[in-house]
Amino acid sequence: MEKKRMEQSSISVLLIEDNPEFAQLVLSWLATSGGEVAFALSWADSLAGGLGEISRGGVDVVLLDLGLPDSDGLGTFAAIQKHAGARGIPIIVLSGSDTESLALQTIQEGAENYLVKGACNAPLLSRALRYAVAKHTAEVASRTRIVGVIGAKGGVGATTIACTLATELRVQTGKRVLLADLDVQAGLVAFMMGVDPPYSFQYAIANSHRLDQSCWNAIVARTPNDLHIAASPAYLGHDDVPAETIRQVIAMVQPFYDWVVLDLGRLNKLSVALLDRTNEVFVVTGTGMAALYEAKRAVGALAKAGLGGERIRLIVNQADQAPTLQQRDMSSIFGIEVYAMVPQDTAELQKALLARKPPAETSALRKQMAEVARRLAGLPKKKNRSPLSQLLSLSERFHKSTAPDRTVGVG
Ligand SMILES: Nc1ncnc2c1ncn2[C@@H]1O[C@H](COP(=O)(O)OP(=O)(O)OP(=O)(O)O)[C@@H](O)[C@H]1O
Ligand SMILES: [Mg+2]
């Protein structure tokens, strides 16, 4: 990760082209046409070499000549598309041929652009590369959903909810999930999840000028089921948190994930500054009067900060006691629906903390958070099967397996 992007923002271009003279020309074009971005060019002179470079990672965009020694025409595009496309890397075809039908076909099959070598020049190529990367980054970022988790007051279980939500988003959706600890006061996420991230978010901030995927991968920890975890910047009480840099870091790493869960701790200058990065905010509260009152104030403050009610999800965590109010009464107090009631699960949480791993999948807490994650992701509710129906289906299966073979007719 050290070898490139030491200066300002740079685009890593892989040129797959067998003609060394043309490769030299592209290199000189890109060296002169930087502007605000610098181009870092790597070169492969065959399809096999190109595929190898893509596998090594760190490529932002591919510039592809279709006529290579080991492949030609559309087949070249299809092979690179299969590899680069799966990694979400845009491809610009740079071809000697200006055959309209070939150009159209590559675009239809997913090429970002088709440039004819003879008509290409430095500004044109530079613009095409910058636009391809910007368009692609925006597309990917708009697919990522960022969920902020805020505690209405200290100790209501915001971190517990953030950890179990991220875990269940990973389990239920199978998508790429990041859990980032942005609680600068507490920073308990890594401890609760039983991981030791090699670096903290602070390292990401210090390296925000060169934060590509390989650099980021070195910063996060991974759970056995590949949930990524970024540790708290751990400013331990200092309030000079560089909110703007943290925002930038989130924007940069957002494209690497489908879901990002942020433990924002409490409502403060930093969490408010990050609100516009979030698609929705979970406000976690307890069932006691003080927690309910704080939650109402937090919801009001969020609305004032420009967060519409449709982006606020109220979670009542019954960590200490059963609620004295019904869910619908709470909804009417807050003026927004209570999104979920989370059951008390002290024994399981203590067991998990001792074992330094998340609560078991079969625990009441995880089951409820699985429902929350599924609802958030728009997945259908899991059928809650009663012991009786499970027994019936078992006996049905037993009968089927012992029944003599028969052919099933139609009608
Ligand atoms: N549903 C629950 N059942 C039982 N205990 C819970 C539950 N949720 C959280 N707890 C416990 O409550 C304590 C506080 O939880 P947690 O650290 O998640 O709260 P927090 O709001 O993040 O606190 P802080 O203000 O320190 O950030 C922990 O010991 C946790 O295990
Ligand atoms: Mg916390």
Side-chain angles (χ1 to χ4, degrees), residues 64-260:
L64 179 67
D65 178 18
L66 296 178
L68 298 170
D70 50 350
S71 177
D72 195 31
L74 254 185
T76 309
F77 177 75
I80 294 292
Q81 164 75 351
K82 197 167 160 214
H83 232 63
R87 289 171 166 75
I89 305 168
I91 305 164
I92 296 178
V93 177
L94 193 55
S95 172
S97 152
D98 67 351
T99 316
E100 182 80 22
S101 61
L102 182 65
L104 206 63
Q105 218 166 339
T106 55
I107 295 288
Q108 274 164 350
E109 294 190 11
E112 192 59 46
N113 208 335
Y114 186 102
L115 304 177
V116 179
K117 280 182 181 175
C120 198
N121 56 38
L124 192 104
L125 183 62
S126 156
R127 206 174 316 125
L129 288 167
R130 281 182 285 123
Y131 288 0
V133 172
K135 177 167 169 253
H136 179 255
T137 308
E139 271 171 13
V140 172
S142 70
R143 285 202 296 266
T144 311
R145 270 171 76 184
I146 304 190
V147 184
V149 181
I150 288 186
K153 70 193 255 306
V156 288
T159 301
T160 306
I161 298 298
C163 290
T164 46
L165 175 67
T167 304
E168 283 301 342
L169 279 170
R170 172 78 192 133
V171 171
Q172 301 300 327
T173 66
K175 299 269 174 72
R176 300 162 305 166
V177 183
L178 169 70
L179 168 61
D181 192 343
L182 292 180
D183 184 353
V184 288
Q185 258 78 33
L188 265 180
V189 165
F191 182 77
M192 268 195 199
M193 296 298 294
V195 294
D196 293 305
Y199 298 98
S200 85
F201 213 91
Q202 192 129 29
Y203 184 83
I205 292 167
N207 288 279
S208 60
H209 57 290
R210 59 179 194 110
L211 204 58
D212 58 13
Q213 184 139 28
S214 62
C215 181
W216 180 251
N217 282 346
I219 290 173
V220 291
R222 292 172 179 75
T223 62
N225 72 349
D226 210 28
L227 165 66
H228 287 197
I229 294 170
S232 158
Y235 280 87
L236 294 171
H238 300 298
D239 36 301
D240 53 344
V241 182
E244 189 43 46
T245 328
I246 293 186
R247 283 162 52 87
Q248 277 171 19
V249 169
I250 294 170
M252 283 167 135
V253 305
Q254 178 179 358
F256 310 151
Y257 298 98
D258 302 291
W259 291 92
V260 175

Side-chain angles (χ1 to χ4, degrees), residues 149-163 183 185-189 192 263-266 284 316-321 342-350 353 365:
V149 181
I150 288 186
K153 70 193 255 306
V156 288
T159 301
T160 306
I161 298 298
C163 290
D183 184 353
Q185 258 78 33
L188 265 180
V189 165
M192 268 195 199
D263 180 356
L264 295 173
R266 305 278 302 282
V284 181
V316 178
N317 184 13
Q318 306 169 64
D320 316 317
Q321 61 193 109
V342 176
Q344 185 182 48
D345 208 347
T346 314
E348 179 60 40
L349 274 164
Q350 280 172 0
L353 272 181
L365 178 60

Side-chain angles (χ1 to χ4, degrees), residues 337-402:
E337 175 211 3
V338 174
Y339 196 69
M341 303 280 282
V342 176
Q344 185 182 48
D345 208 347
T346 314
E348 179 60 40
L349 274 164
Q350 280 172 0
K351 210 165 74 191
L353 272 181
L354 279 175
R356 290 210 61 202
K357 52 184 189 192
E361 209 163 343
T362 48
S363 64
L365 178 60
R366 280 282 296 275
K367 280 188 186 155
Q368 174 64 340
M369 292 313 293
E371 279 308 320
V372 171
R374 291 184 75 82
R375 188 169 158 201
L376 199 63
L379 297 171
K381 249 184 155 179
K382 263 197 175 155
K383 283 205 185 92
N384 228 345
R385 302 206 305 159
S386 69
L388 180 66
S389 73
Q390 283 179 35
L391 213 68
L392 284 173
S393 105
L394 250 175
S395 90
E396 199 178 305
R397 247 188 289 165
F398 174 77
H399 282 302
K400 261 194 196 146
S401 68
T402 53

